[in-house]
Amino acid sequence: MGRDLDDVDRSILYLLQEDARNATAQDIADSVGVSPSTVRNRIDRLEADGIVRGYHPEIDYEAANLPLQLTFVITAPPTEVAHYSDQIRSIQGVIDVREMLTGRRNLHVDVVGTSTKEITRITDTVHDLGVQIESSEMMRRRHVQPFNHFFLQGNEDMDARDDEHASEEST
C-alpha cells in the first residue's frame, strides 16, 4: 500500500511532472518554500518508496519521423494478460502497453510507425501471438499535464478542486 503525501511532497511531484529535466532542487525549493536539501531528501524518499519510478522524455514521434501513432485495444485471456503484455512489448514499434484490470478489452497497446506497411507488420505480429485486436484508433495529438491533485502548495490557482464543484457543495 502507498503512503500519504503532504503538501510538500505533492508540490514536488507537481513541479517534477511539469519539467523534471529543468527543475533544480533550488528552483523547486524556491517555489515550495523549503530548503534545497529538504527537496533533495524528499525526492530521494519518493524514489525509494517507488512513487517516482523514473524520469522519461516526452517524445514527439511525428517530429522523429514516426507520423503514424495508433492504439490497439486487444482481448487476451485474463489469466495470460501479463504473458501477452511481455510478448507484445518486444515487438518493434510498440511504445506502451497498459494492462487493464477488468473487462474483455484488457490490453491497450500504443504503436508508432512511418508507414502503413510498418503498422501492418505490427498488427500481423500481434495476431500471430494468438490475441484479438478489437479496435484501433489513430492518435491526432496527445496532451500531458501534471495530475491535478499534486498541486503547488500556497498557490491558490492550483486548488485541488475546481471552483464550480466546490461551490456546488457549499450550497
Side-chain angles (χ1 to χ4, degrees):
M1 193 72 191
R3 70 171 171 88
D4 290 333
L5 302 175
D6 64 12
D7 286 348
V8 172
D9 289 331
R10 284 190 294 274
S11 295
I12 290 169
L13 290 172
Y14 181 86
L15 292 167
L16 288 174
Q17 286 182 114
E18 265 194 329
D19 188 7
R21 180 177 174 93
N22 295 310
T24 67
Q26 182 66 56
D27 293 338
I28 294 172
D30 291 344
S31 295
V32 176
V34 297
S35 72
S37 62
T38 296
V39 169
R40 285 188 292 276
N41 290 337
R42 292 291 187 107
I43 290 173
D44 287 345
R45 183 167 176 215
L46 290 165
E47 291 172 347
D49 290 346
I51 294 168
V52 173
R53 298 188 313 184
Y55 302 88
H56 309 280
E58 183 178 337
I59 297 171
D60 181 337
Y61 288 101
E62 190 168 358
N65 199 30
L66 294 160
L68 300 178
Q69 301 172 59
L70 289 92
T71 298
F72 295 149
V73 179
I74 297 172
T75 296
T79 57
E80 298 179 48
V81 168
H83 168 73
Y84 284 111
S85 174
D86 286 342
Q87 288 186 313
I88 290 168
R89 285 195 313 271
S90 70
I91 299 170
Q92 183 178 359
V94 172
I95 58 170
D96 187 32
V97 176
R98 294 174 304 286
E99 299 176 13
M100 300 291 126
L101 184 60
T102 61
R104 206 175 57 116
R105 301 157 53 101
N106 50 14
L107 287 171
H108 294 203
V109 179
D110 292 338
V111 303
V112 296
T114 59
S115 65
T116 55
K117 183 177 179 180
E118 272 190 71
I119 299 302
T120 300
R121 177 194 49 80
I122 296 167
T123 303
D124 291 346
T125 305
V126 169
H127 283 151
D128 289 346
L129 295 175
V131 293
Q132 176 77 27
I133 296 177
E134 299 285 338
S135 68
S136 63
E137 305 289 333
M138 184 175 283
M139 184 183 343
R140 178 168 137 191
R141 188 172 301 125
R142 180 175 182 227
H143 302 276
V144 177
Q145 66 183 24
F147 176 59
N148 65 357
H149 283 75
F150 296 149
F151 54 89
L152 186 58
Q153 76 176 24
N155 185 340
E156 294 171 12
D157 295 335
M158 295 310 300
D159 190 0
R161 296 167 48 140
D162 64 41
D163 290 338
E164 182 177 282
H165 187 259
S167 66
E168 288 175 5
E169 287 194 359
S170 65
T171 56

